CSV table of all heavy atoms in Angstrom, one decimal:
chain,number,residue,atom,x,y,z
A,381,LEU,N,142.0,243.4,36.2
A,381,LEU,CA,141.2,244.2,37.2
A,381,LEU,C,139.8,243.5,37.3
A,381,LEU,O,139.3,243.4,38.5
A,381,LEU,CB,140.9,245.6,36.6
A,381,LEU,CG,140.0,246.5,37.4
A,381,LEU,CD1,140.5,246.7,38.8
A,381,LEU,CD2,139.8,247.8,36.7
A,382,ALA,N,139.2,242.9,36.3
A,382,ALA,CA,138.0,242.2,36.4
A,382,ALA,C,138.0,241.0,37.3
A,382,ALA,O,137.1,240.8,38.1
A,382,ALA,CB,137.5,241.8,35.0
A,383,ILE,N,139.1,240.3,37.2
A,383,ILE,CA,139.3,239.1,38.0
A,383,ILE,C,139.4,239.4,39.5
A,383,ILE,O,138.8,238.8,40.4
A,383,ILE,CB,140.5,238.2,37.5
A,383,ILE,CG1,140.2,237.7,36.2
A,383,ILE,CG2,140.8,237.1,38.5
A,383,ILE,CD1,141.4,237.0,35.5
A,384,VAL,N,140.2,240.5,39.8
A,384,VAL,CA,140.4,240.9,41.2
A,384,VAL,C,139.1,241.4,41.8
A,384,VAL,O,138.7,241.1,42.9
A,384,VAL,CB,141.5,241.9,41.3
A,384,VAL,CG1,141.6,242.5,42.7
A,384,VAL,CG2,142.8,241.3,40.9
A,385,THR,N,138.3,242.2,41.0
A,385,THR,CA,137.1,242.8,41.6
A,385,THR,C,136.0,241.6,41.8
A,385,THR,O,135.3,241.6,42.7
A,385,THR,CB,136.5,243.8,40.6
A,385,THR,OG1,136.4,243.3,39.3
A,385,THR,CG2,137.3,245.1,40.6
A,386,LEU,N,136.1,240.6,40.9
A,386,LEU,CA,135.2,239.5,41.0
A,386,LEU,C,135.6,238.7,42.3
A,386,LEU,O,134.7,238.3,43.1
A,386,LEU,CB,135.4,238.5,39.8
A,386,LEU,CG,134.8,237.1,39.9
A,386,LEU,CD1,133.3,237.2,40.1
A,386,LEU,CD2,135.1,236.3,38.7
A,387,ALA,N,136.9,238.6,42.6
A,387,ALA,CA,137.3,237.9,43.8
A,387,ALA,C,136.9,238.7,45.0
A,387,ALA,O,136.5,238.1,46.1
A,387,ALA,CB,138.9,237.8,43.8
A,388,PHE,N,137.0,240.0,44.9
A,388,PHE,CA,136.6,240.9,46.1
A,388,PHE,C,135.1,240.6,46.4
A,388,PHE,O,134.7,240.5,47.6
A,388,PHE,CB,136.8,242.4,45.7
A,388,PHE,CG,136.0,243.3,46.7
A,388,PHE,CD1,136.5,243.5,47.9
A,388,PHE,CD2,134.9,243.9,46.2
A,388,PHE,CE1,135.8,244.4,48.8
A,388,PHE,CE2,134.2,244.8,47.1
A,388,PHE,CZ,134.7,245.0,48.4
A,389,GLY,N,134.2,240.6,45.4
A,389,GLY,CA,132.8,240.3,45.6
A,389,GLY,C,132.6,239.0,46.4
A,389,GLY,O,131.8,238.9,47.3
A,390,GLN,N,133.3,238.0,45.9
A,390,GLN,CA,133.2,236.7,46.6
A,390,GLN,C,133.7,236.7,48.0
A,390,GLN,O,133.1,236.0,48.9
A,390,GLN,CB,133.9,235.6,45.8
A,390,GLN,CG,133.4,235.4,44.4
A,390,GLN,CD,131.9,234.9,44.4
A,390,GLN,OE1,131.0,235.7,44.0
A,390,GLN,NE2,131.7,233.7,44.9
A,391,ILE,N,134.8,237.4,48.2
A,391,ILE,CA,135.4,237.5,49.6
A,391,ILE,C,134.4,238.2,50.5
A,391,ILE,O,134.1,237.7,51.7
A,391,ILE,CB,136.7,238.3,49.6
A,391,ILE,CG1,137.8,237.4,48.9
A,391,ILE,CG2,137.1,238.6,51.0
A,391,ILE,CD1,139.0,238.2,48.6
A,392,ILE,N,133.8,239.3,50.1
A,392,ILE,CA,132.8,240.0,51.0
A,392,ILE,C,131.6,239.1,51.3
A,392,ILE,O,131.1,239.0,52.4
A,392,ILE,CB,132.3,241.2,50.2
A,392,ILE,CG1,133.4,242.3,50.2
A,392,ILE,CG2,131.1,241.9,51.0
A,392,ILE,CD1,133.9,242.7,51.5
A,393,GLN,N,131.1,238.3,50.3
A,393,GLN,CA,130.0,237.4,50.5
A,393,GLN,C,130.3,236.4,51.5
A,393,GLN,O,129.5,236.1,52.4
A,393,GLN,CB,129.6,236.8,49.2
A,393,GLN,CG,128.4,235.8,49.3
A,393,GLN,CD,128.1,235.1,48.0
A,393,GLN,OE1,128.5,235.6,46.9
A,393,GLN,NE2,127.5,234.0,48.0
A,394,ASN,N,131.5,235.8,51.4
A,394,ASN,CA,131.9,234.7,52.4
A,394,ASN,C,132.2,235.3,53.8
A,394,ASN,O,131.9,234.6,54.8
A,394,ASN,CB,133.1,234.0,51.8
A,394,ASN,CG,132.8,233.1,50.7
A,394,ASN,OD1,132.4,231.9,50.9
A,394,ASN,ND2,133.0,233.5,49.5
A,395,ILE,N,132.7,236.5,53.9
A,395,ILE,CA,132.9,237.1,55.2
A,395,ILE,C,131.6,237.3,55.9
A,395,ILE,O,131.4,237.0,57.1
A,395,ILE,CB,133.7,238.4,55.1
A,395,ILE,CG1,135.1,238.1,54.7
A,395,ILE,CG2,133.6,239.2,56.4
A,395,ILE,CD1,136.0,239.4,54.4
A,396,ILE,N,130.6,237.9,55.2
A,396,ILE,CA,129.3,238.2,55.8
A,396,ILE,C,128.6,236.9,56.2
A,396,ILE,O,127.9,236.8,57.2
A,396,ILE,CB,128.4,239.0,54.8
A,396,ILE,CG1,129.1,240.4,54.6
A,396,ILE,CG2,127.0,239.1,55.4
A,396,ILE,CD1,128.4,241.3,53.7
A,397,MET,N,128.8,235.8,55.4
A,397,MET,CA,128.2,234.5,55.8
A,397,MET,C,128.7,233.9,57.0
A,397,MET,O,128.0,233.0,57.6
A,397,MET,CB,128.3,233.6,54.6
A,397,MET,CG,127.5,234.0,53.4
A,397,MET,SD,127.5,232.7,52.0
A,397,MET,CE,126.5,231.4,52.7
A,398,VAL,N,129.8,234.3,57.6
A,398,VAL,CA,130.3,233.8,58.9
A,398,VAL,C,130.2,234.9,59.9
A,398,VAL,O,130.7,234.7,61.1
A,398,VAL,CB,131.7,233.3,58.7
A,398,VAL,CG1,131.8,232.1,57.7
A,398,VAL,CG2,132.7,234.4,58.3
Side-chain angles (χ1 to χ4, degrees):
L381 176 63
I383 292 171
V384 174
T385 53
L386 170 62
F388 165 75
Q390 296 300 113
I391 290 171
I392 291 298
Q393 179 182 339
N394 284 279
I395 288 176
I396 294 176
M397 290 186 71
V398 299

